[in-house]
Amino acid sequence: MKKINEKDEYPIRNQDEDKTESCWAMYGYAIKDNHKGVRKYTDETFSKTEVYFCKDDVYPDIIKAGKVLKQLYERSIQKRKEEKLAEEQAIRREKENKILQNKDEWKKFLQQSKRIVVFDTETTGVNVKNDYILSLSWQVLDSNLETIDRQTRFFNNPIPENLCARALRINGLTNDALMKLGISEKKQSLEEFIAIDPDLFIGHNVHFDQKFVKKECQRENVDFIFDKSTKWFDTMTSMIGFCNLQYSFGFKNPKLSELADALDVDTSDIDWHRSDSDVEATVRCFRKIVERGLSTPFPF
């Protein structure tokens, strides 16, 4: 702590007698003409100073004291406005810098990438141990995010329809619908999908689909070659802060349709809960995310 001595720039205030102009004004006192007071330290940390006045510097004047308080109040309001504006400008600059940084990171990553895969599944339910994939769709994008291949595969449902009725109501993939769409051989389809071996996997709630693909590979004896070094980008979890959809305790994961709305993506031709349509919507959202620099390539 700084020592108090005769070399100090300002003296220590007298707690009992000395008061600031605003404090005297609160008691109905005004400062006498030509009395400038003394600038003193406000505390023992010697970090701040204010001008203090003693009893000899003031006189009772309620009207003048009121004017002083009004001026001080207006000044404090103006100061708060300036501080708020400065804070908003700082936040805006920080966001702009972050966007530029994100864009630069995406540019560098894409320059080094050959293939990016956006994929989606429709399943008999949400339990990866007991449920199965009914459809698997994907699009392969090049380094310019242009689609160079798109595929959709439909598979037999090994579960009685009454045991997965809720999922079928959502995706509409009943046994009759699957037969009309055309059934593919699951092992061959999985091998084709795995063989793409992209630089990045993208999906909306991507880890849900990843777990199902991995489980189906185990069932079909297909080598799931991806490990911890494999890169995954989730358009759902990465955009929670951007969408800011209020939930009971914070913000919720945006649905794909909600993300598309937030990004102003045209979905007039999208048939939701079809894996191929959901992939197309995810591709459109992903392009917007990269274009606007809304997330880093690997946010988690």
Side-chain angles (χ1 to χ4, degrees), residues 11 64 70 73 102 109 117 120 130 134 137-138 168 176-177 202 223 232 242 248 268 274 277 280 288:
K64 190 173 182 180
K70 182 180 179 181
Y73 173 75
N102 291 344
F109 174 77
V117 166
D120 183 61
N130 302 319
L134 296 178
S137 296
W138 67 87
L168 299 186
D176 289 342
I202 299 166
D223 187 14
W232 307 83
F242 172 76
S248 301
S268 58
R274 283 180 53 98
S277 289
E280 177 60 29
K288 287 275 190 177

Side-chain angles (χ1 to χ4, degrees), residues 118-170:
V118 183
F119 74 109
D120 183 61
T121 64
E122 293 298 333
T123 66
T124 59
V126 297
N127 188 325
V128 71
K129 293 182 179 180
N130 302 319
D131 286 304
Y132 294 80
I133 293 177
L134 296 178
S135 68
L136 171 64
S137 296
W138 67 87
Q139 286 189 33
V140 182
L141 312 181
D142 62 16
S143 59
N144 295 317
L145 303 187
E146 295 296 328
T147 299
I148 56 178
D149 186 30
R150 66 179 77 216
Q151 299 292 335
T152 295
R153 301 287 186 272
F154 298 99
F155 311 117
N156 278 317
N157 180 7
I159 301 178
E161 289 193 350
N162 64 315
L163 297 182
C164 51
R166 183 175 181 275
L168 299 186
R169 282 197 300 270
I170 295 174

Side-chain angles (χ1 to χ4, degrees), residues 19 30 32 36 40 42 47 66 81 118 145 151 166 173 183 199 202 207 252:
K19 296 179 179 63
K32 294 178 181 178
K36 298 182 179 180
K40 301 182 180 183
T42 61
S47 58
K81 288 181 179 179
V118 183
L145 303 187
Q151 299 292 335
R166 183 175 181 275
L173 295 177
I183 302 298
D199 300 290
I202 299 166
H207 294 294
K252 78 180 189 74

Side-chain angles (χ1 to χ4, degrees), residues 193-198 201 210 213-214 217 223-232:
F193 177 71
I194 296 298
I196 301 171
D197 192 17
F201 276 109
Q210 178 238 39
V213 171
K214 183 176 182 179
C217 284
D223 187 14
F224 188 82
I225 62 175
F226 311 115
D227 54 26
K228 292 182 179 179
S229 65
T230 304
K231 296 178 174 62
W232 307 83

Side-chain angles (χ1 to χ4, degrees), residues 21-23 25-27 64-74:
E21 181 180 20
S22 61
C23 189
M26 291 177 65
Y27 288 97
K64 190 173 182 180
K67 291 180 179 179
V68 169
L69 290 176
K70 182 180 179 181
Q71 290 175 352
L72 291 172
Y73 173 75
E74 292 174 347

